[in-house]
Amino acid sequence: MPISEVHNCDCLEFMRSLPDNYFDLCIADPPYGIGISNNPFRQKHDKKLWDNQIPTNEVLLEMQRVSKHCIIWGGNYFNLPPNKHFIIWDKEQPFDFSSAMCEYAWSNINSPAKMFRYRVTTEKNKIHPTQKPVALYAWLLDNYGNGGGKIFDPFLGSGSSRIAAYKKGFDFYACELDKDYFQAQEERFRAECLGENKQKDGSVIIQTALF
């Protein structure tokens, strides 16, 4: 059974305690600094201020220090060095779609640029306003996970990366600062990966067969 270790903490403090190249791959989806809670199309979740500022340069450098390779979503918003490899997630939406038709990820991997096509509206009942699909992370792990390396996500959010890593058999480590999101992803992980479903009265029902 793979390790799935997550922390409700500041990722910078966590990374400062680690040696160089501790992880094989860091897959991060940091705040883009665009104030997502003010987007009129993102009003299904509680308004929070986590997306009002981008990560500091120290955070970005630490992600690269503690990981052999990095994939950073929203790389177009950050001060990152040029590299020939980048990843595009094509959301398969029409030109007049109310939000971005695609997303860009910077990486320091030495290979040609790649594209993943997956409809953004496929996943329902999202617990986070910028939740990315498990299928996207599964594709990243299949192509860049080095056949079972140690994975790190410093901005866990909805926990999609954690679910994909667990189902793919990767050891996984992550940080999430927001207590509400941390608890929500924990319940989601336990439901989707361990078959635990929390009831309204607080009790937990365990599904004995997941597949």
Side-chain angles (χ1 to χ4, degrees):
M1 185 177 295
I3 296 170
S4 188
E5 181 181 306
V6 297
H7 303 271
N8 182 201
C9 70
D10 186 321
C11 67
L12 180 57
E13 295 179 5
F14 179 75
M15 290 188 289
R16 283 171 174 166
S17 69
L18 301 174
D20 294 354
N21 298 322
Y22 185 75
F23 301 108
D24 294 286
L25 177 65
C26 169
I27 306 177
D29 189 17
Y32 297 174
I34 58 177
I36 198 69
S37 65
N38 294 321
N39 187 318
F41 300 100
R42 305 290 184 97
Q43 298 301 310
K44 293 182 179 180
H45 302 88
D46 292 341
K47 288 191 174 185
K48 291 176 177 283
L49 302 179
W50 60 268
D51 192 43
N52 284 7
Q53 292 183 329
I54 64 173
T56 63
N57 285 335
E58 183 181 4
V59 170
L60 297 171
L61 290 171
E62 279 293 281
M63 286 193 286
Q64 296 169 69
R65 182 188 67 79
V66 301
S67 308
K68 296 174 185 175
H69 294 106
C70 280
I71 296 171
I72 303 178
W73 289 103
N76 47 309
Y77 292 100
F78 313 131
N79 181 24
L80 294 164
N83 191 52
K84 71 175 184 179
H85 184 269
F86 58 89
I87 298 165
I88 297 295
W89 169 30
D90 176 2
K91 299 182 178 181
E92 297 189 333
Q93 294 299 299
F95 188 81
D96 59 353
F97 183 51
S98 60
S99 297
M101 295 173 64
C102 65
E103 287 200 38
Y104 165 87
W106 174 91
S107 90
N108 57 4
I109 297 168
N110 185 27
S111 66
K114 300 296 180 182
M115 180 180 293
F116 175 73
R117 293 182 173 90
Y118 188 83
R119 188 174 295 276
V120 68
T121 55
T122 301
E123 288 194 358
K124 309 297 181 182
N125 303 315
K126 295 181 179 180
I127 63 172
H128 191 284
T130 61
Q131 180 170 323
K132 285 182 169 55
V134 172
L136 172 60
Y137 287 102
W139 180 84
L140 292 172
L141 292 172
D142 284 341
N143 288 282
Y144 304 106
N146 197 27
K150 194 158 33 176
I151 310 301
F152 177 52
D153 185 344
F155 300 93
L156 183 57
S158 67
S160 292
S161 57
R162 183 186 186 189
I163 292 168
Y166 188 87
K167 290 184 175 181
K168 289 288 182 179
F170 288 83
D171 287 344
F172 179 85
Y173 303 80
C175 302
E176 173 53 48
L177 184 61
D178 186 283
K179 290 189 292 186
D180 296 330
Y181 291 142
F182 184 83
Q183 182 60 36
Q185 68 77 29
E186 183 69 20
E187 292 179 9
R188 182 188 180 205
F189 172 79
R190 290 185 171 278
E192 293 195 28
C193 295
L194 306 181
E196 296 182 8
N197 289 286
K198 190 173 183 179
Q199 306 301 298
K200 292 182 178 179
D201 63 1
S203 62
V204 175
I205 295 177
I206 300 178
Q207 183 179 343
T208 56
L210 287 175
F211 308 105

